Amino acid sequence: MTPRLHVPGLLPPQAQAGLTLELPPGPARHAQVLRLQPGSALTLFDSTGGQWQASVAAMGRKDVSVTLGAFEPGDPLELPTAVTLAVGMPANDRMDALVEKATELGVAAIQPLMTSRSVLKLDGERAAKKVAHWQAVAEAAAEQSGRTRVPTIHPVMHLKAWLPGVPSDEARGLLSFEPEMSVAAWVQSAAKSNPPPSRMTFLSGPEGGLTDDEVRQLGSAAWLALGLGPRVLRADTAPLMALSLVAGLTCP
């Protein structure tokens, strides 16, 4: 497989075939780790849509320059509906795995949340460092999986502070053990609506679940309770299953 590098700021509309440019420090280090040599083929993308075929022009001790080839427009691996996963952050390394797998499955954005029962508590500089780390995980997963867009990892927020900012016209479902309907039925119904929603958000609680007060608040904000079947799924598994259903039921 041709190595793929995410190069923020590449701006394909303003670039052209034959242009030689120097890679930023991050992608340059990645190219060096891959032991690429002058003439090596690679693919570049910057999340604005499409990707460039390119080749290594020169490899220095720190600097790497590449020459752009053909531009390939379009985002063939993106889901027809942009999905956000709002998750009560699981502890330890489970959030890393969630970000990686959600990126592979096509998520558009992830909103890390703190709730009343959250095990993982983050704020200030520690929260910012975690978000930067998760963004890097998403970038690497996008490079590996062939996507041309890297999901956005939003800053950590408390559930009650985040809820008022969710757009009222966005399709939104709460993953629940007391569902009003299944995720599969909801996704199929949404896909058949005219027009289908351009965005949908799934909210999933932490290891200990949401409190009764939090569930009531979500109900009053028109969040629909959605089920994933009788199995008890971990906090990092449930949102991935919901995302998998969207990918399976809406993609050609």
Side-chain angles (χ1 to χ4, degrees):
M1 179 182 292
T2 302
R4 305 181 74 253
L5 300 180
H6 180 235
V7 185
L10 182 61
L11 298 176
Q14 299 172 14
Q16 57 185 351
L19 175 68
T20 297
L21 54 86
E22 189 172 303
L23 293 180
R29 285 195 298 272
H30 192 170
Q32 290 167 332
V33 168
L34 292 172
R35 299 183 182 278
L36 299 180
Q37 299 298 320
S40 295
L42 68 164
T43 301
L44 308 177
F45 67 102
D46 71 351
S47 287
T48 62
Q51 60 187 16
W52 286 91
Q53 296 305 318
S55 61
V56 176
M59 292 285 292
R61 296 187 63 181
K62 294 184 178 180
D63 302 328
V64 179
S65 60
V66 298
T67 301
L68 299 181
F71 177 65
E72 299 172 352
D75 303 300
L77 301 187
E78 297 305 304
L79 300 181
T81 298
V83 178
T84 295
L85 296 181
V87 295
M89 298 175 292
N92 302 319
D93 296 331
R94 293 185 181 277
M95 186 65 179
D96 285 25
L98 190 158
V99 171
E100 179 183 73
K101 300 311 176 188
T103 299
E104 293 176 14
L105 290 168
V107 76
I110 296 176
Q111 174 61 64
L113 294 173
M114 284 193 293
T115 69
S116 298
R117 292 175 177 161
S118 290
V119 174
L120 184 59
K121 307 284 187 179
L122 296 173
D123 56 21
E125 184 178 353
R126 184 164 174 249
K129 287 182 177 180
K130 277 289 188 182
V131 169
H133 168 72
W134 293 328
Q135 190 67 66
V137 171
E139 182 176 306
E143 291 175 339
Q144 179 274 326
S145 62
R147 291 183 63 182
T148 53
R149 295 183 184 271
V150 177
T152 299
I153 312 299
H154 293 297
V156 176
M157 294 187 69
H158 287 271
L159 174 62
K160 291 183 178 179
W162 171 74
L163 277 178
V166 180
S168 59
D169 60 347
E170 187 165 313
R172 41 191 164 168
L174 167 65
L175 303 184
S176 171
F177 285 114
E178 299 179 354
E180 299 172 61
M181 65 189 304
S182 70
V183 169
W186 184 67
V187 170
Q188 288 176 317
S189 176
K192 293 176 182 177
S193 61
N194 188 20
S198 60
R199 303 192 64 85
M200 62 175 58
T201 296
F202 292 102
L203 173 58
S204 183
E207 286 92 335
L210 300 174
T211 65
D212 291 341
D213 284 344
E214 288 170 334
V215 172
R216 280 193 290 270
Q217 184 180 7
L218 289 163
S220 65
W223 285 77
L224 187 67
L226 302 173
L228 289 167
R231 295 185 184 87
V232 178
L233 302 178
R234 289 185 178 274
D236 52 317
T237 305
L240 293 177
M241 183 174 178
L243 180 60
S244 297
L245 286 168
V246 176
L249 293 171
T250 63
C251 292

